[in-house]
Amino acid sequence: MKMMILLVEDSRFLRVASERALVKAGYDVVSVVDGEAALLMARERIPDLILLDMMLPKLDGLGVLRALKHDPQTADIPVIVLSGLGQQNEEKLKKEGAAAYFKKSDSLLDNDSETLLHLVESVVGKRKAAAPEAAISVPAI
């Protein structure tokens, strides 16, 4: 079964670039564009991981992170914070419950998508090499 990632990103460009990279890497991705939708989807789908932008409409990323971590239903879902802001906020966000921090940029289609995938894999514990497919036994005729 594929791991499901909830991607919370209001920038269409960055959302599509991230979705493509994650789907290509073998993840199921559900995307939303604002903080309120993020909370609803997290509670409804219980994803394996949440990629959370900080600058969102309706409810900002910090508000979403705090709500997720205070809700017993979603508190254990790892959250990778995506931010265009500097890493000076990284420690604060980790104290709020973020599993990791990723500085996003418009070059996400280039090398940053690989960096993001490595971070996702380290957080969810997914191995780079795909698990071998189960052998199918066919009876001899």
Side-chain angles (χ1 to χ4, degrees):
M1 188 164 92
K2 288 184 180 182
M3 294 191 136
M4 201 269 279
I5 296 175
L6 174 58
L7 174 61
V8 187
E9 174 61 68
D10 62 328
S11 162
R12 185 180 192 289
F13 176 79
L14 292 174
R15 187 175 61 254
V16 170
S18 299
E19 284 174 357
R20 285 184 183 151
L22 292 163
V23 168
K24 187 176 178 183
Y27 296 100
D28 280 334
V29 180
V30 174
S31 298
V32 296
V33 297
D34 67 63
E36 290 178 1
L39 290 176
L40 290 172
M41 190 60 66
R43 291 176 183 133
E44 181 181 309
R45 301 286 297 268
I46 310 295
D48 296 296
L49 176 72
I50 298 172
L51 296 176
L52 178 63
D53 183 20
M54 285 288 98
M55 304 292 284
L56 294 168
K58 297 188 180 178
L59 179 62
D60 70 13
L62 185 57
V64 173
L65 180 62
R66 286 177 175 159
L68 289 168
K69 294 306 171 183
H70 286 92
D71 182 340
Q73 187 178 356
T74 58
D76 293 332
I77 301 170
V79 177
I80 296 176
V81 170
L82 307 174
S83 180
L85 303 174
Q87 286 189 276
Q88 67 269 20
N89 295 321
E90 182 175 5
E91 285 307 310
K92 178 185 175 194
L93 292 166
K94 285 185 175 180
K95 285 179 183 172
E96 293 284 353
Y101 177 92
F102 181 79
K103 182 162 180 9
K104 65 182 182 175
S105 68
D106 287 337
S107 63
L108 194 60
L109 285 174
D110 301 326
N111 295 335
D112 281 351
S113 63
E114 280 300 312
T115 306
L116 177 61
L117 289 174
H118 288 300
L119 182 58
V120 166
E121 290 170 1
S122 71
V123 170
V124 298
K126 181 180 178 185
R127 300 286 179 250
K128 187 71 176 161
E133 292 185 29
I136 300 171
S137 95
V138 180
I141 299 178

